[in-house]
Amino acid sequence: MKKVILSIALIAGIFAVTNVQAANTITEQPIIEVIVDDDGYVDVKFEDLNEKVQEAVTGVAQEFDLNVLQYNAEKQLTKVEATKKDDQTKKTFYFDAEGAEVVPEAEQQEQREETIENQQELPSAGNFYSFAQGDDGFVEAKLEDLNEKVQAAIVALQETYDIDVIKYNAEKQITKVKATNKEDQSQKKVYFDNEGVETTWEKPVEDVREQETEREEIL
């Protein structure tokens, strides 16, 4: 009986040691992480591109230093990351198989989102204008968010003035510019309508007062 019990204990011990060794083997196996660039672009040599794309890249190289040259076989697009030689600004170019510069769908979507975001930043009558509280309805705006005519008017103003602040009133469609004269450092406020024509703000304020009076009479 003692021999049988001893045999069973010995077998159980061997089985336990085997399991521990197997567990240690599994635990000690290295974990390998594979990082894959999900945009589909891989590095490519200039000479591997077709002649039309090579010509396009050569044209870029005249004004830019080339940093990265990559190709997406699925989309047949060549991506060029470059740095402008004079001001060191960075830019990414995309060329199709014909060597024509294109904007990928992802970039187009990003531009659309930026446009929507910029539009949302512009003032609205309900959120930013309150005549009773003395708020003139202007909020800060970027030059590139204004239309071409207003931009041209501000650029012309920059010939003699340093631009301090640009603000926009969406309800009245008036752009207000605070500027400082480059020569005598005197400050000036200039108002432009949507046609880029200089106007005054007093008249729009009078219009608002008339509208408020009309509303009170109706009520």
Side-chain angles (χ1 to χ4, degrees):
M1 178 62 72
K2 290 182 180 180
K3 291 182 179 180
V4 173
I5 294 174
L6 181 61
S7 300
I8 294 175
L10 181 60
I11 294 173
I14 294 172
F15 181 76
V17 171
T18 302
N19 286 342
V20 170
Q21 290 177 346
N24 289 337
T25 301
I26 295 174
T27 304
E28 291 173 358
Q29 288 181 349
I31 299 174
I32 301 174
E33 293 184 359
V34 179
I35 301 175
V36 180
D37 195 351
D38 60 359
D39 64 358
Y41 287 91
V42 296
D43 291 340
V44 65
K45 295 181 180 179
F46 177 78
E47 56 268 23
D48 293 336
L49 303 172
N50 67 47
E51 293 183 0
K52 294 181 179 179
V53 178
Q54 286 185 10
E55 291 177 1
V57 175
T58 301
V60 171
Q62 294 179 0
E63 298 183 10
F64 291 80
D65 292 323
L66 304 183
N67 302 326
V68 176
L69 189 63
Q70 294 185 326
Y71 182 73
N72 187 312
E74 181 181 359
K75 298 179 181 179
Q76 295 188 345
L77 292 178
T78 300
K79 178 170 71 173
V80 181
E81 295 181 5
T83 303
K84 207 166 193 296
K85 295 179 180 180
D86 54 3
D87 59 9
Q88 297 300 303
T89 56
K90 296 184 182 296
K91 184 176 180 180
T92 301
F93 299 86
Y94 295 88
F95 298 103
D96 62 15
E98 297 298 318
E101 187 175 357
V102 298
V103 179
E105 179 60 29
E107 296 286 335
Q108 294 179 9
Q109 179 63 27
E110 183 177 348
Q111 291 177 2
R112 286 193 291 266
E113 291 176 355
E114 289 180 355
T115 301
I116 294 173
E117 183 178 349
N118 290 334
Q119 290 175 348
Q120 291 175 345
E121 290 177 354
L122 291 176
S124 64
N127 295 330
F128 299 103
Y129 187 84
S130 174
F131 178 79
Q133 296 179 357
D135 185 2
D136 62 2
F138 285 94
V139 296
E140 292 189 11
K142 298 178 181 178
L143 179 65
E144 56 268 24
D145 294 335
L146 305 172
N147 67 49
E148 293 181 358
K149 294 181 179 179
V150 178
Q151 286 185 23
I154 295 176
V155 170
L157 186 65
Q158 287 178 316
E159 294 179 1
T160 53
Y161 286 85
D162 292 322
I163 305 303
D164 301 324
V165 178
I166 299 176
K167 291 188 175 183
Y168 182 73
N169 185 305
E171 182 179 1
K172 293 301 176 184
Q173 297 185 346
I174 297 288
T175 300
K176 178 171 65 174
V177 181
K178 291 182 180 180
T180 302
N181 192 296
K182 295 180 180 180
E183 294 183 357
D184 58 14
Q185 298 300 304
S186 61
Q187 294 187 332
K188 178 180 180 181
K189 290 182 183 180
V190 185
Y191 298 90
F192 297 105
D193 61 19
N194 267 1
E195 296 299 317
V197 178
E198 186 173 350
T199 183
T200 59
W201 180 237
E202 287 75 18
K203 178 59 178 174
V205 170
E206 292 175 2
D207 293 341
V208 173
R209 288 172 179 165
E210 291 175 2
Q211 292 175 6
E212 293 293 331
T213 302
E214 290 176 359
R215 293 195 190 112
E216 289 176 359
E217 290 176 355
I218 294 173
L219 295 174

